[in-house]
Structures are given as C-alpha cells and as structure tokens.
Amino acid sequence: MSITRINTFRALDDHVDELKKFLLALLPTIRTSSGCQSCQLLQDQTIPSRMVIIEIWDTIEAHHDSLQHVSQASIDEVKTMLAAPPVGGYYQ
C-alpha cells in the first residue's frame, strides 16, 4: 500500500514567489526518484504564503532514500525564504 507525504511550507511575506519557484524546481527531481508515484505543489488561495507538497510514495523508506538527492546548500537556501520550519508527515 502506498504512503502519502504532506509537507507544509510558510514563506516570508517578501519571499512568496521565490519559495514557489524554488519548490517547483524540486518537483522533477522528486518525481524521478525511485518509489515516487506522484508529486504536486499546491498554494493556498487565501494565504498565498502557505504551500504544500503532496507526494505519493511506494514506502516511507523510498521517501527517505530520495532525500539523499537534496543538498545541504539547497536546505540552507530554502531556510532563508521560510517564516517557520516546514512541517511534514506521512498519511495513509
């Protein structure tokens, strides 16, 4: 049975477009990771600074394995755009 990963992001007010562009650029890498069934970015229509990435994975381990493709430089870069740390969880 597949697992859904939901990651919630809150951009700083002056970095909304920058965060959206950054997250959209990650999607092709996520989608081509082994075990990824689908991935999409959604932006809150009431509060545009809120965004979620919804990922469907074969297993939690497949998601964990995909994280090795994310560089520390990318993590450091995205932190400069966020109003709070991202929140993520696995759902079934």
Side-chain angles (χ1 to χ4, degrees):
M1 178 176 279
S2 61
I3 193 84
T4 300
R5 170 78 182 186
I6 301 175
N7 305 288
T8 305
F9 302 87
R10 177 77 185 244
L12 293 166
D13 289 336
D14 58 341
H15 286 30
V16 172
D17 292 337
E18 186 180 1
L19 178 62
K20 185 174 182 178
K21 181 179 175 181
F22 180 90
L23 295 175
L24 283 169
L26 290 178
L27 297 185
T29 301
I30 295 169
R31 288 181 179 132
T32 59
S33 294
S34 179
C36 182
Q37 298 176 20
S38 69
C39 178
Q40 64 179 323
L41 173 68
L42 302 173
Q43 185 174 24
D44 189 309
Q45 296 300 289
T46 305
I47 304 170
S49 62
R50 289 194 319 195
M51 296 172 220
V52 297
I53 293 181
I54 301 173
E55 307 166 54
I56 310 295
W57 291 91
D58 291 342
T59 63
I60 292 173
E61 292 76 24
H63 175 255
H64 287 169
D65 291 345
S66 75
L67 297 176
Q68 65 185 309
H69 301 294
V70 180
S71 70
Q72 186 61 47
S74 291
I75 294 169
D76 293 341
E77 181 181 356
V78 77
K79 285 180 180 179
T80 68
M81 303 174 215
L82 297 173
V87 176
Y90 296 99
Y91 300 84
Q92 201 167 44

